Amino acid sequence: MTDAPRHSAPAEPMRLGFPVKVMARPDLKSNDARRWQNAPHLKVSLEYLDGILDHCAARGIRMYRMSSDLAPYATHPDMPQFHDMIAESDAELTAIGAKARALDIRLSFHPSQFVLLNAPDPEIVTRSVRDLAAQAEMLDRMGLGPEAVLVTHVGGVYDDRPAARRRWVEAWHRLPAHVRARLVLENDDIRFSAADTLWIHGETGVRLIFDHQHHWCMNPEGLGVVEAFGRVLDTWPDDVRPKMHFSSPRTEMRQITRKDRKTGKPRTVMQPPIWTGHADFVQPFEFVRFLRDCAPLVARRPFDVMLEAKMKDLALERLRADLVRYVPDVGAVFGLAPDAVAPEPDAECAGAA
């Protein structure tokens, strides 16, 4: 690709990150997933996280999204025996935060889909706030700065979009201060667009996350990609680096098993792809096109990119190699040079499910 504009590397290279599971290393667990009867604990999860940080450092990966289940059952209303595990793990959280800072690895959380601040049911909102407060507390005890965020979505439409947006705003104003300091809001692919989140920002001041694939799937207002992304970047303070999400849509036919109405037996049918689905890897030329279009934004306001491909760290490493091979000026934006990219992991992708 030879079209202008070309990129010049920012003073501090932009980061590429991946979420939760390390596909190249199936032996590296992301959290203590034992059932409650076996007394799982945050301290065990932090031991796993320590190994993941070592792996990221060895591979030159400087951004990682932690599992939302890092502290198992810590907020479960019927299991008070787990409620003190975050405080009990203060020393371990302090140590892991110091290690992440020393390695310059940006950490974040993305709470589960069950966190719904705009739910009409007050009990669901209460549980959601409890989950957010626990994850914000972990980031605080790690001693991480404002780049360490909690990413959430607006929630459900509940048959009334304006009312759903207003409920999110009302919930924001009731959040504990340490949650508001960490929470950022992302546009989604089927319910709330970037324009919706920009409206909410205007009412609250909450920082925003731009998801590239979601914007293509959900943009009834017709905002251009660069326009929408630029406005989202401006919701971040000048002294805090923004982040955004990037993924490519799946293009394969989907294999679906259904019950045959006549025979009652299961049968397999093929269906075309749904564009909200994430591909295993990032289509590099799509990514480069986005970066090319956003060159003025990169020059004005460098940002980090969380990749949400299904193959996670393997997709990240493949994209880095592709950037160096095809578009070295874009690779330079992420601090990549031909001799700086580690060899690709096992081509058999042993970590794939």
Side-chain angles (χ1 to χ4, degrees):
M1 300 180 68
T2 60
D3 53 329
R6 288 288 186 263
H7 287 275
S8 58
E12 182 65 26
M14 289 161 42
R15 302 179 182 95
L16 292 172
F18 74 96
V20 187
K21 188 175 181 180
V22 183
M23 302 299 284
R25 290 280 305 278
D27 58 306
L28 290 177
K29 299 179 182 179
S30 59
N31 63 288
D32 189 348
R34 293 175 296 167
R35 295 187 59 82
W36 68 268
Q37 295 91 334
N38 296 316
H41 203 282
L42 172 59
K43 291 185 178 183
V44 176
S45 293
L46 292 174
E47 291 178 6
Y48 298 155
L49 179 58
D50 185 74
I52 290 174
L53 292 181
D54 286 339
H55 174 79
C56 288
R59 305 297 297 185
I61 298 171
R62 297 173 48 240
M63 183 160 64
Y64 174 70
R65 178 192 297 164
M66 298 176 288
S67 168
S68 60
D69 296 320
L70 203 66
Y73 304 105
T75 61
H76 196 293
D78 301 323
M79 296 186 183
Q81 68 269 34
F82 296 107
H83 290 180
D84 295 328
M85 72 166 59
I86 296 177
E88 293 167 357
S89 306
D90 182 68
E92 290 82 0
L93 286 164
T94 299
I96 206 76
K99 182 169 185 171
R101 293 194 305 276
L103 296 174
D104 191 26
I105 297 176
R106 181 177 186 171
L107 297 177
S108 63
F109 281 118
H110 195 323
S112 77
Q113 69 270 27
F114 301 109
V115 170
L116 297 166
L117 289 178
N118 75 338
D121 184 345
E123 180 55 33
I124 294 177
V125 177
T126 297
R127 292 199 301 267
S128 299
V129 173
R130 190 182 301 130
D131 287 346
L132 292 172
Q135 294 185 23
E137 181 183 354
M138 284 187 275
L139 295 175
D140 289 345
R141 289 181 183 269
M142 289 180 190
L144 302 178
E147 284 189 349
V149 295
L150 306 172
V151 183
T152 191
H153 294 281
V154 180
V157 175
Y158 305 105
D159 299 321
D160 190 334
R161 185 180 307 278
R165 295 192 314 185
R166 287 194 300 271
R167 280 196 304 274
W168 201 96
V169 171
E170 292 165 1
W172 164 268
H173 291 297
R174 297 196 300 267
L175 290 174
H178 76 294
V179 175
R180 290 200 304 272
R182 300 281 185 189
L183 197 62
V184 296
L185 185 62
E186 176 189 354
N187 59 304
D188 66 66
D189 49 0
I190 57 175
R191 296 181 181 90
F192 293 95
S193 66
D196 288 316
T197 62
L198 284 163
W199 181 88
I200 291 173
H201 165 76
E203 298 294 314
T204 61
V206 63
R207 289 175 286 171
L208 302 181
I209 295 285
F210 180 78
D211 188 297
H212 177 266
Q213 184 176 353
H214 290 175
H215 184 67
W216 280 106
C217 293
M218 179 69 180
N219 181 28
E221 299 82 7
L223 291 180
V225 170
V226 177
E227 175 193 359
F229 185 34
R231 291 174 62 185
V232 165
L233 289 177
D234 288 340
T235 67
W236 290 71
D238 291 340
D239 58 347
V240 182
R241 173 167 285 192
K243 58 177 286 193
M244 57 89 64
H245 294 172
F246 195 95
S247 54
S248 298
R250 295 189 70 91
T251 59
E252 306 95 318
M253 293 288 287
R254 294 176 298 131
Q255 194 174 70
I256 299 174
T257 300
R258 294 176 174 171
K259 181 184 289 187
D260 190 292
R261 292 182 179 179
K262 294 182 178 179
T263 66
K265 296 180 179 180
R267 68 185 182 95
T268 299
V269 297
M270 302 301 292
Q271 294 289 323
I274 297 175
W275 301 124
T276 55
H278 290 181
D280 288 342
F281 290 84
V282 174
Q283 212 280 11
F285 309 119
E286 178 188 31
F287 184 75
V288 170
R289 179 73 272 162
F290 170 71
L291 267 293
R292 286 275 193 259
D293 291 344
C294 293
L297 299 180
V298 173
R300 174 174 65 86
R301 191 71 190 274
F303 50 88
D304 295 333
V305 182
M306 177 63 69
L307 301 177
E308 295 190 318
K310 291 292 187 181
M311 292 306 294
K312 302 179 186 296
D313 58 306
L314 295 180
L316 184 154
E317 299 213 38
R318 176 59 184 268
L319 178 62
R320 293 195 306 190
D322 287 340
L323 293 180
V324 167
R325 177 183 180 185
Y326 296 114
V327 279
D329 67 296
V330 174
V333 171
F334 295 97
L336 303 176
D339 59 351
V341 179
E344 292 185 34
D346 187 348
E348 293 183 359
C349 298

